[in-house]
Amino acid sequence: MTPTLALTLLLAVLIGVSLGLLGGGGSILTVPILAYVAGLPTKEAIAASLVVVGVTSAVGAVSHARAGRVRWRTGVSFGAAGMAGAFLGGLLGGHIPSTVLIAAFALMMIATSVAMLRGRRGAPAEEGPTREPSASRIVLEGLAVGLVTGLVGAGGGFLVVPALALLAGLPMPVAVGTSLVVIAMKSFAGLAGYLTSVSLDWALVGGVTLAAVLGSLLGARAAGHLPERALRTGFGVFVLAMGALVLVQELPGAAGAVVGGVVALLALLAAGCWMLVPSCPLRTDRPASHTPRGT
């Protein structure tokens, strides 16, 4: 085993840990690892990431289903719409220049990191009945999220989980479990689209997938013992740094340096706001305003 392959497999464990702990984030890590560590071309890295994330999500969904944390009707409906969008995204992605794809992926990383640092407001209650979302909203949301997933190999759990929580009012553990079903369905559909124009090193993909599955089992076991807020904050900072690095690597000359510098400055400002300012808009636990209301 070469040092590069060993490092790739070790980092692949982190992909699974992310999915096991947070219910998402796998593709955000997978594409850079496969592109910059394993040395795969961009389109092959995106296609391979869909295999890794799809299989790992499917394995994770089994354990969530056994624990009763999967809403099958909502998940399958959302996933079916997402599969159509992901297949279309995979078809389009095979014909878009690699630089455009990786730049779009970096922007998705930055947007995801901001969402993670900001957190979720008004999480649904853990108990109680929830309304079934309208079929049209499921189709539209599923198509949009699926298109992003298939096109750039990203936008899985961190788009699906909030969408499920907002549409159906699912409790967060159920939204996470259901999202894994959706992610698996969309990933395989996106892969089918990409395989019309790219070929994969299946031995490498299989090894990375196995390592990610093992990591997901470790992550699921640790999920109940680590504070979610700290995990999401640390992971958000890491993803933001990775997104800035990808932009610096891909954009030509001074443009890359300028964009990287701007992102780094924004990251420092965001970190300072989040840690030092109680009323920072990035904080979900900031003191609520108590504006008197007229009677």
Side-chain angles (χ1 to χ4, degrees), residues 33-261:
I33 288 171
L34 292 174
Y36 294 107
V37 179
L40 293 183
T42 299
K43 294 178 182 179
E44 283 78 354
I46 292 174
S49 78
L50 294 171
V51 179
V52 176
V53 174
V55 172
T56 306
S57 297
V59 171
V62 171
S63 61
H64 281 277
R66 288 176 177 172
R69 295 191 296 266
V70 173
R71 188 70 59 84
W72 288 105
R73 179 177 177 181
T74 300
V76 170
S77 299
F78 193 104
M83 287 176 73
F87 181 74
L88 177 60
L91 286 175
L92 294 175
H95 302 284
I96 294 176
S98 297
T99 301
V100 174
L101 286 174
I102 201 67
F105 183 82
L107 294 175
M108 177 63 67
M109 293 177 74
I110 293 171
T112 296
S113 69
V114 171
M116 293 175 68
L117 290 170
R118 185 177 177 86
R120 299 186 180 92
R121 301 179 186 276
E126 293 295 323
E127 302 294 340
T130 58
R131 296 183 295 109
E132 282 292 334
S134 67
S136 60
R137 290 192 66 182
I138 288 180
V139 170
L140 290 176
E141 292 277 353
L143 283 171
V145 174
L147 181 64
V148 173
T149 302
L151 189 61
V152 300
F158 293 119
L159 289 178
V160 175
V161 172
L164 290 174
L166 178 64
L167 283 172
L170 300 184
M172 192 55 61
V174 178
V176 169
T178 306
S179 78
L180 292 175
V181 175
V182 176
I183 293 167
M185 294 173 68
K186 293 191 300 86
S187 296
F188 294 135
L191 173 66
Y194 259 100
L195 289 181
T196 62
S197 58
V198 303
S199 58
L200 297 177
D201 180 349
W202 288 104
L204 173 63
V205 173
V208 172
T209 301
L210 178 60
V213 168
L214 294 176
S216 72
L217 299 178
L218 294 174
R221 178 167 300 217
H225 304 285
L226 296 174
E228 180 183 357
R229 179 180 172 187
L231 287 169
R232 296 184 70 86
T233 300
F235 193 77
V237 171
F238 174 71
V239 171
L240 182 60
M242 289 283 289
L245 177 62
V246 170
L247 282 178
V248 170
Q249 291 279 345
E250 293 298 324
L251 293 179
V258 169
V259 171

